[in-house]
Amino acid sequence: MKHVQDHRKPTDEPNLRNAFAPVPPDVRELLVRTARSVKEEEKTKSRKYRLSPVLLAALIVFATMSVGLAVSESVGWSDFFGRFYHGSVPSPMQQALNNVEHTAYELGPITFTVDEALCDGMTGIVSISARMTDGSAALLASTEDYGMPISSSYLDTELARLGLAEGTTWLEAARQKNLPLYAVHAVPQPGQYSDDQYEDYLHDAEGAFVDFSGFTVNPEALGDAVSLELFLSVSAIDPETGEMTRQWQDRPEYTIPVNRSILAEKTYVPEETLATGGFRLENVRMELRITGAYVYTTFTASDAVDHENEAWVEDCYQVEIVGADGEHFSTGVSMSGACDDSAWPVVVLSDTIMIDALPDAIGVKLTYSDETVHLLK
Amino acid sequence: MTKEAFIEGIEAHADTMYRVAISILRNEEDCRDALQDAVLRAWEKRETLKNESSFRPWLTRIVINNCNTMLRARRRLVALDEVPEPSVPPPDPVLKVALHTLPAGLRLPLVLVYSEGMSYAEAAQAMRIPISAVRGRIYRAKQQLRKELREE
């Protein structure tokens, strides 16, 4: 079997392998021992996870009711981008988010509410909050993290609200506070519209769980609206054992209107020839939509660049688009970018940034180690 | 695939399997369970591996699936204070923290490509997303990681 060599480590970049502790030798031994234990002639049967009879009995999908509940004060996308990315949501985006139909779905003891949603023709975002329907106190954790310490990886406020020590797990919190614990999940499933998606969550000041999801969409496949399936899930967790004792799931449909408005467009051209690696930076085009700007950076590769060797993308990735003063732009709504080399030797990198208006001039830093800001107007 | 080739493949890629699993699960005990099960599943599904040169992304795909399944329906939990700390800390703890601030969707392609040395095509195969999506996520992940490290 062939080993692929790591050929992409610019010297001024941290070696990501250093983020990992050495692999425990017993893990390697366990895996090899397991591999040796398989039978040549027979198909192995996967180990079955233990599933309690209580859980099996409870794996019933409960019908949900669409109810018209008013949305109380909750954290929204402005908090999400503010806390995670230190950015502020453009005002047309906030207006569009506020205009959403706040459909609510009752599932077991929890009411899920679509708080905010929009689609700008390129990216869709949805936030869904989860609260106890009867207003009683409970802990609402992510289905992915309910066995973990509270706020172990997210910039969340729940640990402070509960007044618990750093490192306290959700299970410990439920025991200490004598509160019921529910693992919740609420995510849109855009299906054929999208090939890339992200998700994260926050809690509001009262402990409601808010799931934030975003997805890129194929503009050509879109009509005037995006029809989604919302995957909603609630699991009651026994704080003593960590076992699920009951589970509810549903997949209601939800529709987001599409606002493709392009509010402004501008193409920025370098004042001097800018080249990095084997690439010349041709221009940067910005397209201002309600969510901020989509940024398209166009390069042309020289004949010396080997298209077959993927290492070429590193030269493009080092280029950073910044303000004319060298300041970073805040991460934009797509949270992701794209690299289109279908018209090689022309390569277009796309990304999104949070801005309200297109600037007259922007800057570019060509490499990780060079802080020089080159102007484009 | 012969049993010998399978064992050799697991031996060669055990470290990658572990780092991918810990990137997703962040819990050593769960990693052991998920990885052991992944080895068994891989053997069970060996007929779906059309080309042995694709063993690594194919195996990684199974690891990712197993870890995601475990995350979605974690039925056996280990309190963190029962999990032994890694005997040796990572060489760069600041980088570890910065890496874990990234959303999982950005963290994983970065780990596959930059820690494990996979090609974009292999990472795309392992994550079942288009190569353009891998490129895009890595682009965003690197920008975000750079900001996190500057702020540390």
Side-chain angles (χ1 to χ4, degrees):
Chain A
M1 257 160 254
K2 204 167 61 175
H3 290 260
V4 178
Q5 295 302 310
D6 185 354
H7 51 81
R8 283 180 295 272
K9 281 201 183 72
T11 52
D12 55 348
E13 245 191 303
N15 182 348
L16 210 62
R17 185 67 63 80
N18 289 338
F20 295 95
V23 178
D26 66 302
V27 170
R28 200 176 297 114
E29 284 163 23
L30 173 73
L31 299 187
V32 174
R33 200 166 59 239
T34 306
R36 286 194 177 120
S37 75
V38 301
K39 299 274 195 300
E40 184 88 56
E41 299 304 323
E42 295 172 13
K43 281 201 163 191
T44 22
K45 285 184 179 171
S46 292
R47 233 169 0 138
K48 294 284 187 290
Y49 289 106
R50 287 174 289 164
L51 194 60
S52 74
V54 178
L55 174 62
L56 281 173
L59 282 175
I60 300 165
V61 176
F62 281 64
T64 58
M65 299 188 311
S66 181
V67 289
L69 295 180
V71 179
S72 62
E73 194 63 32
S74 185
V75 293
W77 281 100
S78 61
D79 303 281
F80 178 89
F81 283 107
R83 287 192 210 174
F84 284 106
Y85 299 105
H86 316 295
S88 55
V89 164
S91 41
M93 177 172 168
Q94 192 57 59
Q95 283 167 16
L97 287 169
N98 291 344
N99 287 336
V100 70
E101 187 184 341
H102 300 301
T103 309
Y105 307 91
E106 200 175 309
L107 192 61
I110 302 285
T111 295
F112 290 95
T113 307
V114 178
D115 289 343
E116 295 178 321
L118 67 74
C119 177
D120 66 4
M122 305 289 283
T123 306
I125 56 173
V126 181
S127 68
I128 302 172
S129 61
R131 298 180 166 74
M132 295 299 289
T133 304
D134 63 5
S136 62
L139 299 182
L140 305 181
S142 157
T143 50
E144 296 194 353
D145 284 353
Y146 69 85
M148 308 288 280
I150 301 173
S151 191
S152 59
S153 62
Y154 300 107
L155 304 171
D156 207 349
T157 54
E158 197 61 350
L159 197 68
R161 183 185 76 85
L162 295 166
L164 295 170
E166 184 81 26
T168 308
T169 66
W170 285 103
L171 296 176
E172 290 165 346
R175 292 197 294 265
Q176 286 177 29
K177 297 286 180 181
N178 197 24
L179 289 172
L181 173 62
Y182 295 98
V184 294
H185 194 196
V187 63
Q189 300 191 314
Q192 82 276 13
Y193 292 114
S194 178
D195 60 12
D196 204 5
Q197 195 164 358
Y198 61 83
E199 186 189 2
D200 227 317
Y201 68 78
L202 291 171
H203 286 84
D204 76 4
E206 292 167 353
F209 175 96
V210 186
D211 190 291
F212 295 88
S213 296
F215 49 90
T216 58
V217 292
N218 175 0
E220 288 163 14
L222 273 186
D224 294 334
V226 184
S227 294
L228 304 161
E229 199 173 74
L230 303 177
F231 174 71
L232 307 176
S233 167
V234 179
S235 303
I237 307 296
D238 180 340
E240 298 299 329
T241 63
E243 294 277 337
M244 281 188 211
T245 55
R246 196 160 180 188
Q247 190 177 56
W248 300 263
Q249 287 185 352
D250 195 21
R251 297 172 182 273
E253 288 193 355
Y254 187 81
T255 301
I256 306 174
V258 178
N259 183 339
R260 305 166 191 271
S261 305
I262 295 176
L263 309 174
E265 275 182 283
K266 183 172 168 66
T267 299
Y268 301 88
V269 181
E271 293 189 315
E272 57 193 310
T273 300
L274 295 179
T276 179
F279 290 87
R280 188 176 66 237
L281 194 157
E282 303 291 354
N283 61 58
V284 176
R285 186 169 67 84
M286 287 198 187
E287 201 175 81
L288 188 67
R289 292 176 181 251
I290 58 168
T291 49
Y294 284 74
V295 182
Y296 302 94
T297 308
T298 301
F299 302 89
T300 303
S302 71
D303 292 342
V305 180
D306 178 6
H307 190 203
E308 299 304 313
N309 181 351
E310 288 174 344
W312 63 261
V313 296
E314 293 305 324
D315 290 327
C316 298
Y317 283 179
Q318 291 202 42
V319 172
E320 186 178 12
I321 306 302
V322 294
D325 55 2
E327 284 298 305
H328 296 287
F329 289 118
S330 297
T331 295
V333 68
S334 72
M335 305 270 221
S336 185
C339 176
D340 180 2
D341 61 341
S342 58
W344 188 266
V346 175
V347 175
V348 181
L349 279 184
S350 56
D351 195 8
T352 53
I353 57 174
M354 288 271 172
I355 50 173
D356 269 300
L358 297 185
D360 292 333
I362 57 172
V364 63
K365 294 179 182 177
L366 289 177
T367 67
Y368 294 128
S369 52
D370 184 3
E371 290 290 314
T372 308
V373 177
H374 304 274
L375 275 185
L376 290 84
K377 286 183 176 173
Chain B
M1 168 175 256
T2 65
K3 183 175 171 180
E4 286 68 33
F6 181 71
I7 295 168
E8 186 195 321
I10 296 297
E11 214 160 8
H13 301 305
D15 288 8
T16 290
M17 293 170 74
Y18 176 79
R19 284 188 290 266
V20 168
I22 200 80
S23 296
I24 300 170
L25 294 169
R26 294 175 293 174
N27 176 316
E28 284 202 4
E29 198 57 37
D30 282 350
C31 279
R32 284 179 170 82
D33 282 354
L35 290 175
Q36 195 182 12
D37 201 54
V39 172
L40 295 169
R41 279 181 194 277
W43 179 250
E44 188 181 323
K45 292 169 177 283
R46 63 192 181 280
E47 284 165 17
T48 65
L49 176 63
K50 305 296 178 203
N51 183 343
E52 286 194 22
S53 66
S54 298
F55 183 80
R56 187 164 67 150
W58 173 81
L59 180 65
T60 305
R61 177 73 216 154
I62 293 170
V63 170
I64 293 170
N65 271 348
N66 259 27
C67 292
N68 286 338
T69 301
M70 183 169 274
L71 276 181
R72 275 195 296 271
R74 201 188 293 252
R75 294 176 186 125
R76 186 179 64 76
L77 294 169
V78 179
L80 270 235
D81 54 8
E82 293 170 20
V83 178
E85 281 291 313
S87 50
V88 184
D92 191 341
V94 174
L95 182 60
K96 179 191 172 184
V97 171
L99 182 65
H100 279 276
T101 61
L102 300 182
L106 298 185
R107 186 167 64 240
L108 198 52
L110 207 60
V111 169
L112 294 181
V113 173
Y114 286 91
S115 170
E116 304 314 311
M118 283 192 188
S119 66
Y120 288 95
E122 282 181 306
Q125 202 179 337
M127 294 185 69
R128 285 225 180 116
I129 58 175
I131 294 176
S132 60
V134 172
R135 284 181 180 151
R137 288 189 191 197
I138 285 177
Y139 175 48
R140 168 50 55 200
K142 289 179 73 169
Q143 304 266 332
Q144 189 61 29
L145 189 66
R146 206 181 337 173
K147 277 186 200 169
E148 294 292 342
L149 289 171
R150 276 178 186 160
E151 284 165 14
E152 286 294 333

